[in-house]
Amino acid sequence: MHRVLSGIQPTGIPTLGNYLGAIRNWVALQDSHECLYCVVDLHAITSFQDPAQLRAMSLEMVATLLACGIDPEKSVLFAQSAVSAHARLAWIFNCVARLGWLNRMTQFKDKAGKDREAASAGLYVYPNLMAADIHTYHATRVPVGDDQRQHLELANDIAEKFNHDYGVDFFPRIEPLILPEAARVMSLRDGSRKMSKSDPSDQSRINLTDDAETIALKVRRAKTDPEKLPSETEGLAGRSEARNLVDIYAALAGIDAASVLRAHGGRGFGPFKEALAEVLVTRLAPIARETRRLVADEGYLLGVLRQGAARANALAEPIVKEAERLVGFLS
Ligand code: AMP
Ligand code: TRP
């Protein structure tokens, strides 16, 4: 059976993009796979986080994941910093990965922006830590959104070079699990940028904690074009905002884009946006309600994390110990 691992940064309220691109797949995989899901607080501090805020956001992220349907009995749910094996293996991977490989990472270029010299060293080696998150457990399947594809290719390059350099067949190849629909949910304000919890404009995204009224307002204000909605998918070519709304509807309703257009095409965006807001509210309101309930129970959340960390440590420790032995460390 394949072992599944994925992570999410506690740097804001999770968005519809996180949900459709990753979290709903995490939930679905629990019944057929051994799953590990971590809140990646080590990754979060690659850009400065206020400590009290980081703690609160980490707990809220755990609450949201539980509210979305992650079952802490089925899956191992934990904070990355509670399992020191990640950081130990990441150091080894820092010494395996080549600067040339890291220089090609588009996420670093995006996040560092123009002033690259001012970015933290941690942001630069971020993909090595992500590779360590996965290989620490010999996980082979990684459910993510499309934006993480390049990082997962790097994780395979690192594993291959480690195996080659040390003359072993120790780290397995990994495969991304990327859902075909809504793998890249775009901003509601700009169809060329991905929906992100760190976008300065709250209007650009649906947060999983937004109430019905906020959702309806954001959808109504979502950028579209003056044309009618087409009746066939070919008509979406070059219309990124329209395509994004149709894809979101399709993913939430569990149908394909063609079926959405058969039902809603040929009309203006007004009625379609109302229908979209309705599916969003139906799906997200229970998640928001349950998140609010769980956030109020910090003792429970900390208990879930404690149990998750114990299970994760038990799985990680022998694998990372063996990696350290292969490298030649005295144990
Ligand atoms: P992050 O919020 O960057 O920690 O991402 C957590 C997970 O959500 C990753 O698997 C991302 O690929 C996925 N994700 C984030 N934003 C989007 C988006 N706009 N569309 C699809 N997937 C996304
Ligand atoms: N880098 C991922 C993101 O920003 C989060 C992440 C960290 C991750 N470690 C991981 C995803 C391991 C999958 C597996 O979206």
Side-chain angles (χ1 to χ4, degrees):
M1 186 165 79
H2 288 285
R3 190 175 275 175
V4 166
L5 181 132
S6 198
I8 186 162
Q9 300 191 68
T11 47
I13 296 162
T15 68
L16 180 68
N18 295 127
Y19 182 70
L20 293 180
I23 301 171
R24 73 183 161 127
N25 206 14
W26 297 13
V27 174
L29 287 161
Q30 293 182 111
D31 290 322
S32 48
H33 292 76
E34 182 186 7
C35 297
L36 294 120
Y37 298 124
C38 55
V39 173
V40 293
D41 44 5
L42 300 181
H43 279 111
I45 64 161
T46 55
S47 53
F48 180 79
Q49 304 295 325
D50 172 79
Q53 184 85 357
L54 179 63
R55 190 176 185 281
M57 292 311 319
S58 297
L59 286 172
E60 180 155 358
M61 183 59 77
V62 174
T64 312
L65 293 174
L66 294 169
C68 286
I70 300 296
D71 178 343
E73 298 304 321
K74 286 188 199 152
S75 299
V76 182
L77 180 59
F78 63 104
Q80 184 189 31
S81 59
V83 183
S84 64
H86 293 235
R88 281 149 60 201
L89 189 60
W91 178 257
I92 295 175
F93 285 177
N94 284 344
C95 302
V96 172
R98 306 290 91 186
L99 290 184
W101 302 356
L102 293 175
N103 286 338
R104 284 195 287 277
M105 293 297 113
T106 56
Q107 184 169 303
F108 175 76
K109 290 179 199 167
D110 287 350
K111 286 201 177 175
K114 286 206 182 69
D115 193 4
R116 215 176 279 186
E117 301 269 312
S120 75
L123 187 66
Y124 191 63
V125 294
Y126 176 115
N128 298 344
L129 175 59
M130 179 165 161
D133 295 339
I134 302 160
H135 290 305
T136 296
Y137 301 94
H138 279 173
T140 49
R141 295 290 182 273
V142 187
V144 285
D146 190 63
D147 60 330
Q148 297 302 310
R149 205 182 276 278
Q150 192 186 37
H151 285 159
L152 296 183
E153 283 164 15
L154 184 87
N156 273 328
D157 291 344
I158 291 174
E160 204 174 293
K161 182 161 163 59
F162 179 98
N163 289 344
H164 177 266
D165 288 353
Y166 294 100
V168 291
D169 184 15
F170 187 60
F171 290 117
R173 275 195 77 72
I174 60 176
E175 265 178 43
L177 299 177
I178 298 174
L179 291 173
E181 69 289 345
R184 184 175 276 272
V185 178
M186 308 312 282
S187 156
L188 299 179
R189 310 300 304 170
D190 175 355
S192 68
R193 296 186 29 213
K194 80 167 184 174
M195 183 180 285
S196 163
K197 42 178 144 65
S198 52
D199 193 302
S201 162
D202 190 59
Q203 295 296 315
S204 72
R205 62 176 164 264
I206 306 279
N207 305 309
L208 293 189
T209 49
D210 282 347
D211 59 25
E213 214 174 304
T214 311
I215 291 175
L217 198 63
K218 285 180 177 176
V219 172
R220 216 174 301 137
R221 287 191 185 148
K223 187 175 167 202
T224 47
D225 54 49
E227 307 294 316
K228 286 195 166 87
L229 208 55
S231 300
E232 276 151 18
T233 49
E234 290 75 29
L236 291 172
R239 300 174 66 188
S240 53
E241 282 89 9
R243 175 182 296 279
N244 189 39
L245 297 185
V246 170
D247 283 348
I248 291 172
Y249 189 106
L252 286 167
I255 55 179
D256 59 14
S259 315
V260 177
L261 293 178
R262 261 197 303 278
H264 295 276
R267 292 190 290 164
F269 279 93
F272 175 64
K273 282 179 163 180
E274 260 170 55
L276 175 59
E278 203 173 301
V279 229
L280 277 164
V281 169
T282 307
R283 188 69 165 266
L284 301 187
I287 295 178
R289 210 176 309 122
E290 181 65 358
T291 302
R292 271 197 302 279
R293 189 184 74 78
L294 287 166
V295 161
D297 195 349
E298 192 174 308
Y300 172 70
L301 298 175
L302 291 172
V304 165
L305 287 174
R306 208 174 309 118
Q307 176 195 303
R311 289 166 71 192
N313 266 303
L315 295 170
E317 200 54 38
I319 294 173
V320 173
K321 264 262 157 330
E322 180 60 10
E324 289 170 336
R325 195 191 64 78
L326 289 170
V327 168
F329 293 167
L330 297 168
S331 61

